[in-house]
Amino acid sequence: MTDAYAVFGNPIAHSKSPLIHTAFARQTGQDIVYSALLAPLDGFAEAVADFRQQGACGANVTVPFKEQAYSLATRLSPRAQAAGAVNTFKFESDDVYGDNTDGAGLVRDLTVNLGLDLAAKRILLMGAGGAARGVILPLLERQPDALFIANRTASKAVELAQLMGAGKHLAAGGYADLSGQFDVVINATAASLAGDLPPLPDTIFAPGALAYDMMYGKDTPLLGFARERGVRTADGLGMLVEQAAEAFWLWRGVRPETAPVMQFLRSA
């Protein structure tokens, strides 16, 4: 029988995950079907349970359910446990294995696809929700000089940093607490969905900096702000494809090639 997978989110119609996983399956000869499922904001757990009862093998989870997904898992990978958020389920009998592939996807996109060495860099991460949670430790593993978490509600950023082990290389606060310049500025907030730009100072970018928005498929205020200042930019399509490849490997034991899939999505 064809194995069923899906991505849960709200909204979800914009998701490219079905295209990505269908391309991965075709490339690797895996017999799967992958769909996008809209979960009610107050009915995520029920939607996942219904999907499992239909014999599904796994699922991805996107905004705004990643932290809820964490509580549904019966087992957690170390990186999901550290993040407090889950974006990938693997279903086996009564077991719901929760993983978080976001950080691996982001780091691979930054270091492999964009050729960026994160060691000794100053990184600004905007946001303190599920998207930010999943990438903090993988970024820190690359040994940056500093990682600062900024959020409009500063207390949420500080709380997250303390949860992750704030110290010499990890700090947090509000946008008013920003000082100095950053080599990598990453937007993990929902501001781009609303067409908003977080309140960044004009001097935020170091020479040769990269502005990275996890949003994909549209030109965001952050990317426009960066381009106006001559800063290199990237959207989150590469991260999306790379985190999907990590999930595909978890499910199928096969690691697909991401470059042709990214090229296909860009051309489409």
Side-chain angles (χ1 to χ4, degrees), residues 92-130:
E92 290 180 336
S93 185
D94 294 331
D95 186 46
V96 179
Y97 181 70
D99 196 4
N100 193 310
T101 66
D102 281 336
L106 173 63
V107 168
R108 184 170 174 84
D109 192 33
L110 289 172
T111 60
V112 177
N113 301 329
L114 298 172
L116 191 63
D117 183 0
L118 298 176
K121 296 292 194 298
R122 284 176 50 83
I123 302 172
L124 170 61
L125 178 64
M126 297 184 288

Side-chain angles (χ1 to χ4, degrees), residues 138-180:
L139 286 170
L140 288 174
E141 286 171 357
R142 292 294 169 142
Q143 299 183 323
D145 179 64
L147 174 59
F148 189 92
I149 306 168
N151 197 60
R152 288 182 189 270
T153 305
S155 59
K156 289 185 178 180
V158 172
E159 181 181 350
L160 179 55
Q162 291 172 343
L163 182 68
M164 295 292 175
K168 179 180 178 182
H169 299 288
L170 178 63
Y175 289 96
D177 300 314
L178 291 174
S179 63

Side-chain angles (χ1 to χ4, degrees), residues 6-17:
V7 57
F8 288 91
N10 189 327
I12 199 60
H14 68 286
S15 176
K16 288 182 168 53
S17 291

